[in-house]
Amino acid sequence: MIALSFVNRHNFRYYRLALDFHDNYLKWLRILKITIEDVAREANVSAMTVSRALRNPEKVSTKTREKIEAVVERLGYVPDPAASALAAGRTNVIGVIVPSVTNNVFSDVMLGIYEQSEGSKWQIQLGNSRYSPLEEERLVRTFLSQKPAGLIISGLDQSETTAALLKAAKCRIVQIMECGSAPYDMMIGFSHLEASRAATHHLLEEGYRRPACISARLDPRSQRRLEGYRIACREAGIFDPRRIVTTPRPSTVTLGGELVADLLSKVPDTDAILCNNDDLALGAMFECQRRGIAIPETIGICGFNDLEMMAAANPSITSVRTHRMEMGRKSMQMMDDALSGKEPKVSNIDLGFEIMVRESTSRKKA
Amino acid sequence: MIALSFVNRHNFRYYRLALDFHDNYLKWLRILKITIEDVAREANVSAMTVSRALRNPEKVSTKTREKIEAVVERLGYVPDPAASALAAGRTNVIGVIVPSVTNNVFSDVMLGIYEQSEGSKWQIQLGNSRYSPLEEERLVRTFLSQKPAGLIISGLDQSETTAALLKAAKCRIVQIMECGSAPYDMMIGFSHLEASRAATHHLLEEGYRRPACISARLDPRSQRRLEGYRIACREAGIFDPRRIVTTPRPSTVTLGGELVADLLSKVPDTDAILCNNDDLALGAMFECQRRGIAIPETIGICGFNDLEMMAAANPSITSVRTHRMEMGRKSMQMMDDALSGKEPKVSNIDLGFEIMVRESTSRKKA
DNA sequence: TTGTATGCGTTATCAA
DNA sequence: TTGATAACGCATACAA
């Protein structure tokens, strides 16, 4: 009876079960549901003090804090995030929305994000829009309903509704992958158009006069890369629309080979191939090798993204290095800074790119 | 005054602001926070009925349901998942914990999971343990604290604490990637040991007598694959420990080349290389080509996983096909079935594997 | 520094 | 078929 007097309603059952057997009681606690109340009772403090000890340890005396921490550890207490979110009206969730989780490009970015978030209080939640603006909209809605602290989202091409949702959102937003002029909030990326244009320039400088471009997927960034190729060719006065071969299919190594086959059947005098990504480039290389076409002498090949395998290939393949992991890391850092009150000085970062010249386009010395 | 009489406390402000201007009021609602109460008031029903109309539409008359749905649509009401989780004590979240999000192997599995979950009410939440049992433990704890409907987790090698947590968990669990005898709940995968053993057999059947094995990362599954190689070699009486070259570093294409260089410097008479994954295999191929070693004549190369690029390579590379996407899909299906009450007939599935014989090991016909 | 009272938005329960 | 009421577990605001 005495024990029951300080027991709240929902703890009744296990107190009944283990009234005079403390160890048993602890076991029950562990299996049933441990709340902040349980911790408070064990530590002889109020629930509020426990809450404080966990969120703002500095606002609690060292002694009580240590006592509470010990009890938390002993009981294995884990705060209920739902209750926390409901009471506080916010969460420690940072939503990350990417078009693809199977694409190396995005997985590298995610790696950077994960690395940077390690040790912080932020919890990453990943969404996969699968290149669909509608799916993206659904994801944004879902994420926002969770009152996230922040949202990291890919690109500039959200649907009108999505854009409206993001503009109205009360959380911080970092757009990644591209550069642009009107970020919702913060932004970090690079210019796909300029990168592709520079790559085309490189081909021209190496002496290739009839460069082609193959592209798959045709998402907004692919399109801008295509445009970069077009511009560079026009600037050099050698643009020929027949040398552009595209497909909406997702890119694969095999597809790279097929696109090259298609290309060469239409315009056999092509002397260089700018591939919209590295998978295509690898496939293009294999196809050329199968046909006995010399790389880089007869045809030069340039990829995009500079995946790790480009340097290992034989011949090694020229590619446009994009700083994906750094992009992930910095986006997370900007987010963290913004959420910690130290507003980042620059909120719209162009990370640039680098043409990694390798054997596959080095005709000069040959 | 009349209007105020039926207005609850927290809606007071925007009622004040737009008492007699209904449209404006709706706009405010949209920007501020729309709760189930707002919907209920607009639809002239109780909050409970709105809740029912959304969760169990069949328990509400068609007329009221339609009325409510219209209001929900008009106000753009999105339920607060935190409140829902708190009140119901459960969520529609299915947690997926994988060791790596950058590894093609897991991204294929995830693709399957995402595809299968599409259209269902389940919400996928991804966790990345980065091959760390401790990180995995942390993730399991975090996920469980969210009262998920289910958990999909990779492998059999959880830490003791993690295992205890999972056993005590009230949610359904599907283990993926491997086969084993004592699942926490459900399981789907294949035997890495048998797959690797079969691949080694294939090499022996092709006439290779001095097969080597290169491996990176050395996670539990790599180790079991290594063991499969050992067993097959011992069975054939040709086991030579010098032919095993491993590194704890994460595998890359470049690393494949380095391991081959290392291997050949130690045991130059090696006539086949079983690579523990396809990245290594590709790197091995490039390295052999660089050294002018004929594939498959002088050295045969076999990968593991059968990533798409294996078939596109030149020469095409033999690999062990594992049914990753199907694994993802089926794991999600098992989960869905289990959660929907229709307990799956088989709860421990061996998906098997397939040796995809290609040019890189086809010496017979040569 | 610590505690008390109260509300967050939803759903379970039971009554109508 | 619908509604009233009481939790759910935690954090805010304020009091002590």
Side-chain angles (χ1 to χ4, degrees):
Chain A
M1 298 302 283
I2 294 167
L4 285 177
S5 67
F6 65 90
V7 172
N8 69 26
R9 177 192 34 70
H10 71 279
N11 288 330
F12 180 83
R13 30 178 196 201
Y14 45 87
Y15 258 94
R16 275 290 302 275
L17 284 162
L19 249 187
D20 50 355
F21 196 5
H22 196 69
D23 274 5
N24 247 348
Y25 153 63
L26 288 184
K27 267 191 212 151
W28 273 100
L29 273 185
R30 207 177 276 279
I31 288 165
L32 295 170
K33 177 66 198 176
I34 300 176
T35 73
I36 203 170
E37 292 283 353
D38 299 315
V39 177
R41 193 173 335 99
E42 279 290 313
N44 285 313
V45 294
S46 74
M48 202 45 239
T49 307
V50 176
S51 176
R52 262 191 291 257
L54 298 175
R55 313 278 155 198
N56 310 81
E58 75 281 3
K59 297 200 147 195
V60 168
S61 76
T62 315
K63 212 178 130 210
T64 40
R65 181 164 51 72
E66 280 167 358
K67 188 169 59 178
I68 289 170
E69 278 165 358
V71 174
V72 165
E73 178 67 26
R74 187 154 52 88
L75 300 188
Y77 167 68
V78 180
D80 181 333
S84 175
L86 184 57
R90 58 192 156 70
T91 65
N92 285 160
V93 169
I94 290 180
V96 179
I97 299 179
V98 296
S100 165
V101 288
T102 54
N103 186 324
N104 287 313
V105 171
F106 294 103
S107 51
D108 285 346
V109 176
M110 281 160 43
L111 194 60
I113 294 178
Y114 275 116
E115 278 191 359
Q116 185 68 35
S117 72
E118 194 175 359
S120 77
K121 65 174 181 177
W122 308 118
Q123 206 197 320
I124 304 303
Q125 195 160 324
L126 184 65
N128 181 9
S129 72
R130 290 173 307 168
Y131 289 101
S132 153
L134 254 86
E135 184 68 12
E136 184 178 58
E137 190 174 315
R138 210 185 57 80
L139 278 169
V140 166
R141 230 183 268 279
T142 308
F143 276 37
L144 287 182
S145 77
Q146 302 185 41
K147 297 166 188 153
L151 223 51
I152 297 179
I153 188 165
S154 308
L156 320 167
D157 303 271
Q158 284 74 31
S159 79
E160 217 172 299
T161 318
T162 306
L165 285 169
L166 291 175
K167 275 174 203 149
K170 294 146 308 182
C171 68
R172 301 306 300 256
I173 297 173
V174 180
Q175 283 162 277
I176 56 173
M177 300 309 297
E178 289 197 69
C179 270
S181 52
Y184 301 116
D185 184 359
M186 298 173 280
M187 186 179 267
I188 181 165
F190 65 96
S191 167
H192 290 249
L193 190 151
E194 288 305 331
S196 184
R197 187 174 166 191
T200 312
H201 264 301
H202 161 69
L203 290 176
L204 295 170
E205 271 171 15
E206 289 291 334
Y208 296 106
R209 304 317 299 171
R210 297 176 300 280
C213 184
I214 62 177
S215 177
R217 180 68 80 176
L218 299 181
D219 63 292
R221 282 169 293 284
S222 296
Q223 309 251 24
R224 283 191 260 278
R225 293 202 286 269
L226 209 53
E227 187 58 22
Y229 160 83
R230 272 199 208 94
I231 290 177
C233 287
R234 288 221 182 84
E235 285 170 349
I238 54 138
F239 179 65
D240 181 345
R242 294 174 310 151
R243 296 197 199 278
I244 296 181
V245 178
T246 68
T247 166
R249 287 160 59 194
S251 71
T252 61
V253 178
T254 306
L255 187 57
E258 293 173 13
L259 290 175
V260 166
D262 194 12
L263 172 71
L264 293 184
S265 75
K266 287 181 189 158
V267 270
D269 65 342
T270 292
D271 66 357
I273 307 174
L274 180 67
C275 305
N276 224 307
N277 67 51
D278 287 341
D279 281 346
L280 297 181
L282 191 62
M285 182 187 87
F286 287 139
E287 182 63 23
C288 287
Q289 290 178 338
R290 248 179 242 113
R291 293 169 176 238
I293 297 173
I295 303 170
E297 294 75 13
T298 310
I299 286 189
I301 290 182
C302 178
F304 198 100
N305 277 324
D306 197 32
L307 297 188
E308 181 266 334
M309 61 184 177
M310 292 291 103
N314 176 47
S316 59
I317 304 176
T318 296
S319 193
V320 181
R321 174 168 295 178
T322 58
H323 309 288
R324 298 183 298 285
M325 202 152 11
E326 193 187 351
M327 189 154 62
R329 251 191 245 112
K330 287 211 171 161
S331 66
M332 191 61 208
Q333 195 176 4
M334 287 168 84
M335 181 63 86
D336 191 29
D337 285 351
L339 292 173
S340 310
K342 28 180 176 170
E343 201 62 26
K345 310 134 285 290
V346 194
S347 64
N348 191 341
I349 300 177
D350 183 348
L351 280 178
F353 52 85
E354 225 173 311
I355 310 286
M356 305 301 290
V357 179
R358 302 206 180 88
E359 295 166 358
S360 73
T361 61
S362 298
R363 200 157 64 162
K364 276 180 180 165
K365 65 178 180 186
Chain B
M1 298 304 281
I2 293 166
L4 285 177
S5 67
F6 66 89
V7 171
N8 70 25
R9 179 193 33 72
H10 73 279
N11 287 331
F12 180 83
R13 33 183 191 195
Y14 44 87
Y15 259 95
R16 275 290 303 273
L17 284 163
L19 249 188
D20 51 353
F21 196 4
H22 197 69
D23 274 6
N24 247 348
Y25 154 62
L26 288 185
K27 265 191 213 152
W28 274 99
L29 273 186
R30 209 177 276 276
I31 289 166
L32 295 171
K33 177 67 198 176
I34 299 175
T35 72
I36 203 169
E37 291 283 353
D38 299 315
V39 177
R41 192 174 333 99
E42 278 291 311
N44 284 314
V45 293
S46 75
M48 202 48 238
T49 307
V50 175
S51 177
R52 263 193 290 259
L54 297 176
R55 312 280 157 195
N56 309 81
E58 74 281 4
K59 298 199 146 194
V60 167
S61 77
T62 315
K63 212 177 129 209
T64 40
R65 181 165 50 72
E66 280 166 358
K67 189 169 60 179
I68 289 169
E69 277 164 358
V71 175
V72 165
E73 177 66 26
R74 187 154 52 88
L75 299 188
Y77 166 69
V78 180
D80 182 333
S84 178
L86 183 58
R90 57 191 155 71
T91 65
N92 285 161
V93 169
I94 291 180
V96 179
I97 298 179
V98 295
S100 165
V101 289
T102 54
N103 185 325
N104 287 312
V105 172
F106 294 103
S107 52
D108 285 345
V109 177
M110 282 160 42
L111 195 60
I113 293 178
Y114 275 118
E115 277 190 1
Q116 185 68 34
S117 72
E118 195 174 359
S120 77
K121 66 174 179 176
W122 308 117
Q123 207 196 319
I124 303 304
Q125 195 161 321
L126 184 65
N128 180 10
S129 72
R130 289 172 307 165
Y131 290 100
S132 153
L134 256 86
E135 184 69 12
E136 184 179 58
E137 191 174 315
R138 211 186 57 79
L139 278 170
V140 167
R141 230 183 266 280
T142 309
F143 276 36
L144 288 182
S145 78
Q146 301 186 40
K147 296 166 189 157
L151 222 50
I152 297 179
I153 189 165
S154 308
L156 320 167
D157 302 272
Q158 285 73 33
S159 78
E160 217 172 300
T161 317
T162 307
L165 285 170
L166 291 175
K167 275 173 204 150
K170 292 147 310 184
C171 68
R172 301 306 301 256
I173 297 173
V174 180
Q175 281 163 278
I176 56 173
M177 300 310 297
E178 289 197 69
C179 270
S181 52
Y184 302 115
D185 183 0
M186 298 174 280
M187 187 179 266
I188 181 167
F190 65 96
S191 166
H192 290 248
L193 189 151
E194 288 305 331
S196 184
R197 186 175 166 190
T200 311
H201 265 302
H202 160 69
L203 291 176
L204 295 171
E205 271 170 18
E206 290 289 336
Y208 296 107
R209 305 315 301 170
R210 298 175 299 280
C213 184
I214 62 177
S215 177
R217 180 68 80 180
L218 299 182
D219 63 292
R221 282 169 291 285
S222 298
Q223 310 251 24
R224 283 190 260 279
R225 294 203 285 271
L226 209 52
E227 187 57 22
Y229 160 81
R230 271 198 209 95
I231 291 177
C233 287
R234 289 220 182 86
E235 285 169 348
I238 54 138
F239 179 65
D240 180 346
R242 295 174 308 151
R243 294 196 201 280
I244 295 182
V245 178
T246 68
T247 166
R249 287 160 59 195
S251 70
T252 61
V253 178
T254 305
L255 187 57
E258 293 173 13
L259 290 176
V260 166
D262 195 11
L263 172 71
L264 293 183
S265 75
K266 287 182 191 159
V267 270
D269 65 343
T270 292
D271 66 356
I273 307 174
L274 180 66
C275 305
N276 224 309
N277 67 51
D278 287 343
D279 281 346
L280 296 181
L282 191 62
M285 182 186 89
F286 287 140
E287 182 62 24
C288 287
Q289 290 177 339
R290 249 179 242 111
R291 292 168 176 240
I293 297 173
I295 304 170
E297 294 76 12
T298 311
I299 286 189
I301 291 182
C302 178
F304 198 100
N305 278 325
D306 197 33
L307 297 187
E308 181 266 333
M309 61 184 177
M310 292 291 102
N314 177 48
S316 58
I317 304 177
T318 296
S319 193
V320 181
R321 174 167 294 177
T322 57
H323 309 289
R324 299 182 297 284
M325 201 149 16
E326 194 188 349
M327 188 156 60
R329 252 192 244 109
K330 286 210 172 163
S331 67
M332 191 60 209
Q333 196 176 3
M334 287 168 84
M335 181 64 87
D336 191 29
D337 285 353
L339 292 173
S340 310
K342 29 179 174 168
E343 202 61 27
K345 309 134 285 290
V346 193
S347 65
N348 191 341
I349 300 178
D350 183 348
L351 280 177
F353 52 85
E354 225 173 311
I355 310 286
M356 306 300 291
V357 179
R358 302 209 178 86
E359 294 165 358
S360 72
T361 60
S362 299
R363 201 157 63 160
K364 277 181 181 163
K365 66 178 180 188

